[in-house]
Amino acid sequence: MKVTEHIAAAQNKTLFSFELVPPQKGKNIQELYDNIDPLMEFNPPFIDVTTSREEFIYLEKDGLYDRKVTRTRPGTVGICAAIKHKYKVDTVPHVLCGGFTKEETEYMLVDCQYLGIQNVMALRGDAMKHQRYFEATNGGHTYAYELVGQIRDMCQGKYLHETLKVSNNDDFCIGVAGYPEKHLEAPSLEFDLKKLKQKVDAGADYIVTQMFFNNSKYFEFIEKAREAGITVPIIPGIKPIAVKKHLQLLPQVFKIDLPEDLITAVDACKDNKEVRQVGIEWCIAQSKELKDAGVPVLHYYSMGKSDNIKKIAEALF
C-alpha cells in the first residue's frame, strides 16, 4: 500500500513509523534486523530507509594520494526489498538528487517497480563534505521538485529516452521533506514554503518534517503551509536526544532551536545514559501532544538504534 492509503485506512488514528540508516558495508544485515525486531510489535505500516551519497577517499600509492569515489553503505533498494520480504511491511527508499544522475535515478525506480515498492522519498540531499554548498551531480537534478517531476513523469510512462505504456501498479506515492524552522539555506520560512509548494505542485503526495523539539514550531508550520495552499498530509519527524553532544551538533547541522527546558535538563545530566533517559521522556511528552492533536503519523528518526524508540512507542501505541 501507499503511505497515503495507510493514512486514509487509519481513519484519523495516529500511526507509528520510523526511519533507519543502512549499516556500513561489511556489516551483517542481521544487525539491522536486530534493531527492527523490537519495533514491529507497534505495527508500523511503513519503514523509511535512507540513501547515502558517494564519498571521496584518498589512497596512498608511492607517496602520492589518489582520490577515489566510494559508497560506505549498501544499496537502499536491496535493503528495502529484504525488509519488505521479511516483515511484510511497506518500505520507503530515499531517492536523492546529490550523487545520482537522472539515468541512475531511473534505474533505481525501475528496480523499485519490479520489487513492488510503491513509495519513495524524494530529497535533494546534502552537500559533500568538501563542499560548502550543495552542488548538483553532473547529469543529475539540482532541486528536489525536479526529482519529483522525473518520478511523476515515469509513473505516466514518460521515461528519459522513451515513452512506455504503464499500469496503475507503476505509480509511486512520493514523499518530500518539510522544515518547520525553514531549510538552513532558505532566507525565510515564507520563501521555504514556496519551495515546498513547488514540490507538491510537481507531484508530491505527502510531507515528512525535519526533526523539531518544540511542538509549537510544527503547529505554526502546519498553519502557514495550509495558508500557502499545501493540502497533502504533513507527518512530523521526531528524534529523541541521545547524547549530550546533540546540544551543539543538532543546532549546528540542522539549524534548529532547542527549548530551554530541554537544554537545562540535558546539561544537568552526569553522563549520556542520563541524557538518553531525558531524551526519551521529552520525546514521549512531545509525541503525546502531537498524537492528541491528531497527526497522521508519528515518524521517528531511529538512526538504526531501537532501544529508546521502543520505550517511546510503548508509552504511546
Side-chain angles (χ1 to χ4, degrees), residues 20-25 27-30 32-33 36 47-52 72-87 89-93 108 115 117:
L20 53 84
V21 178
Q24 291 192 332
K25 61 185 179 184
K27 299 286 187 178
N28 192 296
I29 197 169
Q30 186 59 46
L32 191 66
Y33 293 157
I36 295 175
I47 298 172
D48 274 46
V49 181
T50 66
T51 294
S52 298
T72 62
R73 300 180 187 274
T76 297
V77 174
I79 290 176
C80 283
I83 293 172
K84 179 180 173 68
H85 175 75
K86 179 176 175 62
Y87 296 101
V89 64
D90 287 309
T91 49
V92 186
M108 179 180 181
L115 293 165
I117 295 171

Side-chain angles (χ1 to χ4, degrees), residues 82-238:
I83 293 172
K84 179 180 173 68
H85 175 75
K86 179 176 175 62
Y87 296 101
K88 308 298 187 245
V89 64
D90 287 309
T91 49
V92 186
H94 289 195
V95 185
L96 306 182
C97 295
F100 297 88
T101 65
K102 296 173 187 177
E103 283 77 12
E104 288 170 331
T105 296
E106 186 172 282
Y107 299 152
M108 179 180 181
L109 295 171
V110 168
D111 285 344
C112 288
Q113 288 177 334
Y114 279 123
L115 293 165
I117 295 171
Q118 295 182 290
N119 304 283
V120 293
M121 175 66 67
L123 305 167
R124 189 198 71 176
D126 299 324
M128 296 184 71
K129 292 179 181 178
H130 69 282
Q131 297 171 343
R132 184 170 184 181
Y133 301 106
F134 176 85
E135 297 177 12
T137 297
N138 187 27
H141 295 293
T142 303
Y143 301 105
Y145 82 87
E146 298 171 334
L147 176 58
V148 172
Q150 179 183 354
I151 300 170
R152 188 56 67 207
D153 281 347
M154 188 172 155
C155 293
Q156 298 169 359
K158 301 174 185 176
Y159 290 75
L160 292 174
H161 307 301
E162 56 188 331
T163 300
L164 301 173
K165 185 177 180 180
V166 295
S167 68
N168 291 334
N169 293 332
D170 293 330
D171 188 28
F172 287 109
C173 179
I174 306 171
V176 293
Y179 301 86
E181 297 174 71
K182 83 174 183 63
H183 189 275
L184 58 91
E185 296 174 14
S188 69
L189 180 58
E190 287 70 23
F191 180 88
D192 201 30
L193 282 167
K194 290 180 182 178
K195 296 299 181 183
L196 181 59
K197 180 68 160 50
Q198 193 174 24
K199 291 188 283 190
V200 173
D201 289 344
D205 298 292
Y206 70 98
I207 297 162
V208 180
T209 75
Q210 180 178 253
M211 71 183 76
F212 56 91
F213 294 89
N214 186 335
N215 285 347
S216 65
K217 301 283 187 181
Y218 172 78
F219 295 134
E220 291 168 5
F221 177 71
I222 292 289
E223 183 178 351
K224 290 182 178 180
R226 300 309 183 209
E227 290 174 355
I230 297 170
T231 60
V232 299
I234 302 178
I235 297 170
I238 309 165

